Amino acid sequence: MRKKVNNMTNFRKILSLVIIFIFCIINMNAQEVLTIENAVKIALENNYEIKISKNNLNIDQSNVSLGNAGILPALTANIVDTNSLQNSSQTLQNGNVNTLDNAKNNRISYGVNLDWTIFDGFRMFARLDQLKELQKLGDEQLKLTVTTRISDVISTYFDLVQQQQQLSALDTTIVISNQRLALAQNRFSIGKASKLEVLNAQVDLNADKTSVLRQKELYKNTKTLLNQILARDLKTDYKVVDNTEINKQLLLPELTSLAEKQNPQLVTQIINRKISELQLKQIRANRYPTIRLNSGYAFVNTESSLGFTSQTSARGLNYGFTATLNLFDGFNQSRNEKIAKIQIENSQLLIEQQKLSLNSQLETSYQTYLTNLELIDLEEKNETIAKQNLEITLEKFRIGTITTLEFRTAQLNYVNAKVRNSNAQFQAKLSEIALKELAGNITF
């Protein structure tokens, strides 16, 4: 009868485990499998900083126009209506005096005026070129924002991959700790082990469960962070692909060549130098005369209650030109040109500084990249050795030829080896991302 009850209890336990297993499979299938390509695509579409940079670029593109540069004429329409009520008195040459109280006077004029600067020392053309360079600057700033945000997405994504692998390692140690506790209880029940061995196994199992809880907390928080970068619902649940592919073929000379051509920060400094040069051209334009054409067509009608004429009307075309030349402005022209030249010099110094900083970052990042590649090979071997050691130790523990301390040491060595291997792959991936970001070559 007791055996039958035990069988029924075991059957219920097995059934419960099967139900839990099926539920976990269903739950996993319901989760979105987020690939790195899809994550990057979502970020490019949703990320707020990228959207703002795109809008700023649209503003720069709209500013590139002949009118904004001052090349096109300005045409205005105007109307002026003037009325007055006056007590008027007029003394004529013959001595007669005409007076009128509340004399009403009215004057209305309307027409169109044209104002066109046809020469300003080529300032308008330098201004147009400057607007084009500002558009290029906005384009590079957008590239920098996109590169930075893609780098954030990839780094956070593979951080999740690493944490997912670490969770798997900790789940493995939970299984092993449960086996150890079951063995300790069995050995205690038949008198081959003390209660202390059971308690130690329980304490270590609880410690492993605590580590799992902490890792799950970090994993969930990192998922929330990635959702934030992707600018989507923070509660969106998903899982990442449990694989880290590392490009092991990166070469420093190729990266350096790419960085000198397309690193957004370096290109930005080069564009800033060009903008400073165009600013000097605009300042030098003040040394030349400015010539403006003006023309218009006007209608004028005047009514007066007192005077020689009671009504006057006129219409017609007016035209002419204005020429101005700065002869002396208190030496401000020379001062402004001197300052503009200094700004050009500073722009060149910033370019050289950026190149030096870029090459330094490439050198150090590439050395870190090579070191991490070596660590991957080392940690993969360590994990294989630690796994073999654990399997042997587990068999010896089952037959009681080693102590619980030796078993726990082998168990922790295996878990730590898996964690170090996962971390080595993650660090290598970060190095790869950093190098591609410096080279301006992060693409998917």
Side-chain angles (χ1 to χ4, degrees), residues 39-53:
V40 170
K41 181 180 178 181
I42 294 171
L44 291 174
E45 293 175 353
N46 295 349
N47 184 267
Y48 293 112
E49 293 181 45
I50 294 177
K51 286 183 176 180
I52 292 172
S53 293

Side-chain angles (χ1 to χ4, degrees), residues 310-322:
S310 61
Q311 182 177 355
T312 302
S313 61
R315 63 181 180 178
L317 176 69
N318 60 80
Y319 54 89
F321 74 92
T322 302

Side-chain angles (χ1 to χ4, degrees), residues 75-78 110-114 295-298 318:
L75 184 64
T76 58
N78 58 77
Y110 54 92
V112 292
N113 294 312
L114 175 70
S295 179
Y297 196 91
N318 60 80

Side-chain angles (χ1 to χ4, degrees), residues 32 40 53 58 62 70 87 134 166 266 276 347 385 388 436:
E32 171 194 1
V40 170
S53 293
N58 289 334
S62 299
N87 295 328
L134 288 172
Q166 292 186 8
L266 179 58
S276 297
S347 299
I385 294 172
Q388 294 174 353
K436 289 183 176 180

Side-chain angles (χ1 to χ4, degrees), residues 13-23:
K13 289 181 178 179
I14 294 173
L15 182 61
S16 299
L17 290 173
V18 171
I19 293 173
I20 293 173
F21 179 73
I22 294 174
F23 176 78

